[in-house]
Amino acid sequence: MTILLAGCASMTESQRSTAQGTAAGTGIGAAAGAIIGAIAGDPALGAGIGAGVGAIGGYIWSSRMEKQKQQMEQVTTGTGIEVTQTQSNQLKMDVPGDFSFDTGRADIKPEMRPVLNSLVAGLMSNPNAQVNIVGHTDNTGTDTINNPLSVNRAASTRNYIVSQGIAMNRIHIDGRGSYEPVASNDNAVSRAKNRRVEIYMFEPQYTQQQQQLPQQQMPQTSPQYPPQQPVNYPSQPGYY
């Protein structure tokens, strides 16, 4: 493994990011495969080497995920949308309210559509990828209003993606109300930052191994989303 890691010095930044991301998410076997594939210039080779060794579960940072990150960075330049790779190898887009939603509204703004269209293109080119959308609000109003509003914002985002041809069962939604602010709520600028959706695109590791497993041995693990604080939402049937 030490010898393989030494090969990272000759990689491009994109190759190194892909290999290191896979190492973090899949263990020694998959990491070795990722590095070998990157050095050889054949990501598929790395995936094949790592698939038989890496543990089932978690997310991988494949060359397709790296390409999607680069595309999203280009599309969101100058918009205030943050595009990052999380420690768990998810592609995260933090879309603030001045670009996504007006106060008290759940319908997406027109400016957000090109960003979502780029996400749709990535999902079409990567059939293994899935999305988790988490809606948030500022602290204007009560929980009775904010909790379902946050879910509706995630649902509106999902509905647009589905309208562009992505299957609904690839998209998961959640709402956190005003319980997870990223800024103070004492001025309009800060409230706009909290009035947001977080979009997580991820590629489950087990998708690379499913075709090699008999049907009765298919893994049944569920994706692990970002930590969620327990919130007692009022009953709002139909939002999910």
Side-chain angles (χ1 to χ4, degrees):
M1 191 63 194
T2 302
I3 296 174
L4 287 171
L5 287 172
C8 286
S10 62
M11 295 183 193
T12 65
E13 181 178 353
S14 175
Q15 290 172 331
R16 189 178 300 110
S17 177
T18 301
Q20 291 174 343
T22 305
T26 61
I28 298 298
I35 294 170
I36 292 173
I39 293 173
D42 185 359
L45 172 64
I49 294 173
V53 184
I56 293 176
Y59 310 126
I60 61 172
W61 191 259
S62 65
S63 59
R64 290 177 296 190
M65 291 293 294
E66 177 64 22
K67 181 178 180 180
Q68 179 70 8
K69 179 175 180 288
Q70 294 173 359
Q71 291 174 342
M72 296 306 300
E73 287 174 337
Q74 293 176 357
V75 172
T76 59
T77 299
T79 65
I81 296 175
E82 295 184 5
V83 179
T84 57
Q85 176 187 353
T86 70
Q87 291 184 347
S88 59
N89 286 330
Q90 298 181 81
L91 174 58
K92 178 184 178 182
M93 287 166 286
D94 196 335
V95 189
D98 54 2
F99 196 83
S100 55
F101 302 102
D102 289 324
T103 302
R105 301 295 298 269
D107 48 319
I108 64 174
K109 293 182 179 180
E111 300 92 321
M112 190 175 172
R113 292 173 185 171
V115 175
L116 296 180
N117 290 342
S118 182
L119 177 65
V120 167
L123 290 170
M124 286 183 172
S125 64
N126 186 356
N128 291 335
Q130 300 179 37
V131 172
N132 185 40
I133 305 172
V134 184
H136 300 267
T137 72
D138 57 36
N139 69 346
T140 304
T142 65
D143 287 348
T144 303
I145 297 174
N146 289 334
N147 293 338
L149 177 60
S150 66
V151 177
N152 284 343
R153 285 174 172 167
S156 293
T157 307
R158 175 195 61 189
N159 293 344
Y160 180 83
I161 296 172
V162 170
S163 74
Q164 302 304 302
I166 302 301
M168 184 174 289
N169 62 6
R170 296 177 64 187
I171 306 171
H172 316 270
I173 65 172
D174 193 8
R176 308 288 172 80
S178 60
Y179 286 88
E180 296 182 3
V182 294
S184 66
N185 280 293
D186 55 6
N187 59 73
V189 174
S190 296
R191 286 192 293 272
K193 292 180 180 179
N194 293 329
R195 190 173 63 248
R196 70 196 191 279
V197 286
E198 295 171 339
I199 304 174
Y200 297 85
M201 179 177 173
F202 54 91
E203 187 174 343
Q205 182 187 338
Y206 66 76
T207 56
Q208 289 195 350
Q209 304 185 28
Q210 283 181 339
Q211 294 181 350
Q212 302 175 15
L213 297 175
Q215 185 65 33
Q216 65 272 20
Q217 296 181 9
M218 296 285 268
Q220 301 298 320
T221 54
S222 300
Q224 297 298 312
Y225 302 132
Q228 176 178 357
Q229 298 177 355
V231 177
N232 294 321
Y233 293 153
S235 177
Q236 296 289 339
Y239 286 112
Y240 295 86

